[in-house]
Amino acid sequence: LRTIEWDAERKQVKMIDQRLLPGRLSYIYCQSGEQVSHAIKTMAIRGAPALGVAGAFGVALAMLELSQKRPVDWYEKLLSSCKSLEESRPTAVNLAWGVNRVLSLINPQHSDLEGAARIALEEASRIAEEDVATNMQLAINGSALIDDGDTIIHHCNTGALAGVDWGTAFGAIRFAHEQGKRVHVLVDETRPRLQGARLTAWECEQYGIPYEIITDNAAGYYLRNGRVQKVFFGADRVTANGDVVNKVGTYMLSLAAQANKIPVVCVFPITSVDLSVDNGDEVEIEERPMDEVLSLEMNGVKIAPANAKARNPAFDVTPFQLITAWVTDKGIIRSQFSQIIKRYVYNKPSDGK
Ligand code: MRU
């Protein structure tokens, strides 16, 4: 089961439509960069690593289209497709990373547009393969922090659906489960789009991982009463000082965990690190439509008055002081984040202490 992949027969990008889960597992197919941008904006595909791969395939599709139509200003058109892909969701840095990695291989002076499209598609497919390998390594590294018998609160969806496979924090839980460790997951719902209740719970079912869903606001109760040993989540962007920009609610969860001396573990690939930004307060937080908050119904009745307004930031910032361990594919960092992460990003060996 792959969240996103190239369908060679159709010459289209195939992705699981995450809006329909857990009710139905079905796929959508994209044949242009524009369709990929739309799929990202409307959350058919989401989760930081998956967005990186979607961005990469989006550029490849845009290049493919241009190689068929051959407009004179093809490179300007390609740049404009890249811009709209990047802007479709601004917070997860993986999206811009995926787009730019493919774009950087396209030479504006190129006259062989079919060749350029081939190069773009090969690179996007390579990024998708690398995502699986990186996430597997994350799963191995993160599972080392999980003990037999742990109950873990998990936020949002960070599983296979958030990458091509495995994902980030949930991948570590899945790997620990596969190693035979007894883990129990308290899956928080993750209002307003309920990625926890809809997607993480669905993944728990797929892999046979014991779980219960809790409301987001029950987390403090469980953290205080001694029934939880760890909190696990991913990241949409990690800044140079170790601040974590992640799904809204991560900050409150981390505060409650720290107050109760429960370890807070953040699991992310190096591609989610943005060293160009000093701290989380400098990151653009995506504000999503208010109807995501207001459109729910209970017993057939809307949960808010017809004229109610809402605010809907999709992410928040958890300051580095609240993080116990940053798990990356290169190793685990427990302190001195800013020094060690530079060595990881620039590929220099380090003892990770
Ligand atoms: O709005 P989403 O569903 O794209 O948000 C996803 C998250 O916040 C995840 O927790 C995050 O991408 C980190 S791990 C994949």
Side-chain angles (χ1 to χ4, degrees), residues 188-339:
D188 75 20
E189 288 180 301
T190 319
R191 276 278 284 154
R193 291 196 65 101
L194 303 167
Q195 289 93 328
R198 293 190 304 107
L199 307 177
T200 303
W202 182 80
E203 289 201 38
C204 284
E205 302 257 341
Q206 305 307 303
Y207 311 122
I209 300 172
Y211 76 97
E212 289 163 299
I213 295 174
I214 59 170
T215 58
D216 299 332
N217 29 10
Y221 168 76
Y222 285 107
L223 287 164
R224 191 162 184 271
N225 71 12
R227 290 193 219 160
V228 170
Q229 282 70 47
K230 269 136 213 165
V231 166
F232 265 62
F233 49 75
D236 287 83
R237 195 184 299 216
V238 180
T239 57
N241 68 342
D243 286 356
V244 171
V245 185
N246 192 49
K247 178 53 59 193
V248 71
T250 305
Y251 176 43
M252 281 197 340
L253 183 59
S254 304
L255 279 172
Q258 196 198 44
N260 290 286
K261 301 189 170 41
I262 307 293
V264 173
V265 180
C266 179
V267 186
F268 55 92
I270 289 297
T271 47
S272 295
V273 177
D274 186 354
L275 292 180
S276 74
V277 178
D278 291 337
N279 64 70
D281 297 325
E282 293 173 23
V283 174
E284 179 182 352
I285 301 290
E286 175 189 7
E287 177 107 19
R288 294 197 52 89
M290 62 176 147
D291 89 42
E292 288 187 348
V293 176
L294 300 172
S295 64
L296 266 191
E297 290 186 2
M298 198 169 281
N299 304 321
V301 178
K302 280 260 177 74
I303 58 160
N307 295 324
K309 304 249 180 300
R311 297 298 302 269
N312 187 15
F315 304 96
D316 63 22
V317 178
T318 299
F320 69 92
Q321 294 92 337
L322 297 179
I323 309 289
T324 314
W326 295 261
V327 176
T328 76
D329 41 308
K330 301 278 168 79
I332 301 176
I333 304 177
R334 293 171 199 273
S335 62
Q336 294 180 300
F337 179 88
S338 20
Q339 287 99 303

Side-chain angles (χ1 to χ4, degrees), residues 14-43:
K14 175 184 179 188
M15 47 179 96
I16 294 178
D17 188 345
Q18 302 194 29
R19 298 165 300 193
L20 302 182
L21 287 170
R24 188 147 50 95
L25 176 62
S26 64
Y27 294 87
I28 54 171
Y29 293 85
C30 297
Q31 45 191 333
S32 66
E34 215 172 294
Q35 286 179 359
V36 174
S37 292
H38 183 72
I40 293 173
K41 258 189 218 138
T42 56
M43 309 282 284

